[in-house]
Amino acid sequence: ESTAELTNQAEPFVTQISIQQNSITMTSLSLFVSLVLVGTLVYPGNASPEPLGKPCSELEVGDYIILRDRPTRLTEVSSTGSRVSIVGEQVFTGERAEDTCPADHRYYRPEMVENEYQVIDYEGGMLDLMDDDGETFNLMVDRPVDANILEEIQEAVSSGDGDVYVTVLERQADGQQRPVSFRVEE
């Protein structure tokens, strides 16, 4: 729908806001209209909203949060009074991310799932995988953050010392996947 149609649908709400504040930017109006009409938070990347996690004061190393619009695994958590400092690695880029927040602040919590698959083959950034039901699929892996693990997987597959199993981390909201570990079963 166009902005004009949304504005017409939200006209009673716009009047209410205009009374409360003398000026309102179009961005704020658009966000407000989206919140009122959709009834949910607008989330980056057109993904569905993910649930709010626990308060920052309860965060622990290894927890996943959305930090700077990306799923991040926490590597350091420290608190000073009512402030909490967090440091993490963004799951799909490997970049370091950090923030300081009030102890009662809550970040979105990405729904992350780990699954293990048998590696059938690996060639040119493409993992051929098989699940427990015998279904096969391809996983394109071309992120620089995955370079080291891919070299190790390729060596394990090439050596033929046993079956290679890879653990894949998947974000439920958008289906992004990344291999995070592997093992060889003789």
Side-chain angles (χ1 to χ4, degrees):
E1 292 180 315
S2 70
T3 305
E5 290 171 327
L6 290 174
T7 303
N8 288 340
Q9 291 176 3
E11 198 168 271
F13 303 107
V14 173
T15 306
Q16 214 171 18
I17 280 192
S18 297
I19 293 169
Q20 293 174 1
Q21 297 202 2
N22 292 334
S23 65
I24 185 165
T25 64
M26 192 56 167
T27 305
S28 298
L29 175 61
S30 298
L31 177 60
F32 179 74
V33 168
S34 297
L35 290 172
V36 169
L37 296 178
V38 176
T40 187
L41 291 173
V42 177
Y43 191 77
N46 295 325
S48 61
E50 294 175 284
L52 284 173
K54 52 191 168 186
C56 286
S57 61
E58 297 176 19
L59 291 174
E60 301 172 4
V61 170
D63 285 347
Y64 292 98
I65 63 170
I66 298 292
L67 186 58
R68 294 190 176 75
D69 299 332
R70 295 192 173 127
T72 304
R73 183 176 181 275
L74 298 180
T75 56
E76 298 174 34
V77 179
S78 60
S79 60
T80 311
S82 64
R83 307 288 295 166
V84 178
S85 296
I86 55 175
V87 178
E89 178 183 303
Q90 292 180 342
V91 174
F92 298 107
T93 64
E95 295 172 5
R96 177 183 164 99
E98 52 188 277
D99 198 11
T100 302
C101 59
D104 61 347
H105 178 73
R106 294 173 184 259
Y107 287 97
Y108 283 103
R109 179 184 47 83
E111 294 183 24
M112 307 295 283
V113 176
E114 286 187 2
N115 292 307
E116 186 175 67
Y117 303 103
Q118 183 176 357
V119 178
I120 299 169
D121 193 18
Y122 170 72
E123 189 174 322
M126 183 74 69
L127 281 169
D128 294 328
L129 304 174
M130 181 171 59
D131 65 15
D132 291 337
D133 298 328
E135 297 290 323
T136 61
F137 67 97
N138 298 323
L139 176 61
M140 182 67 164
V141 186
D142 58 356
R143 295 181 186 95
V145 71
D146 299 323
N148 291 338
I149 193 170
L150 290 177
E151 285 178 27
E152 294 172 13
I153 290 171
Q154 187 171 21
E155 288 174 17
V157 169
S158 299
S159 73
D161 291 339
D163 292 332
V164 179
Y165 292 86
V166 64
T167 301
V168 176
L169 184 63
E170 179 179 357
R171 181 178 180 195
Q172 294 294 297
D174 58 11
Q176 288 187 72
Q177 296 178 318
R178 175 185 175 208
V180 291
S181 66
F182 77 98
R183 66 182 177 86
V184 178
E185 189 175 280
E186 297 179 23

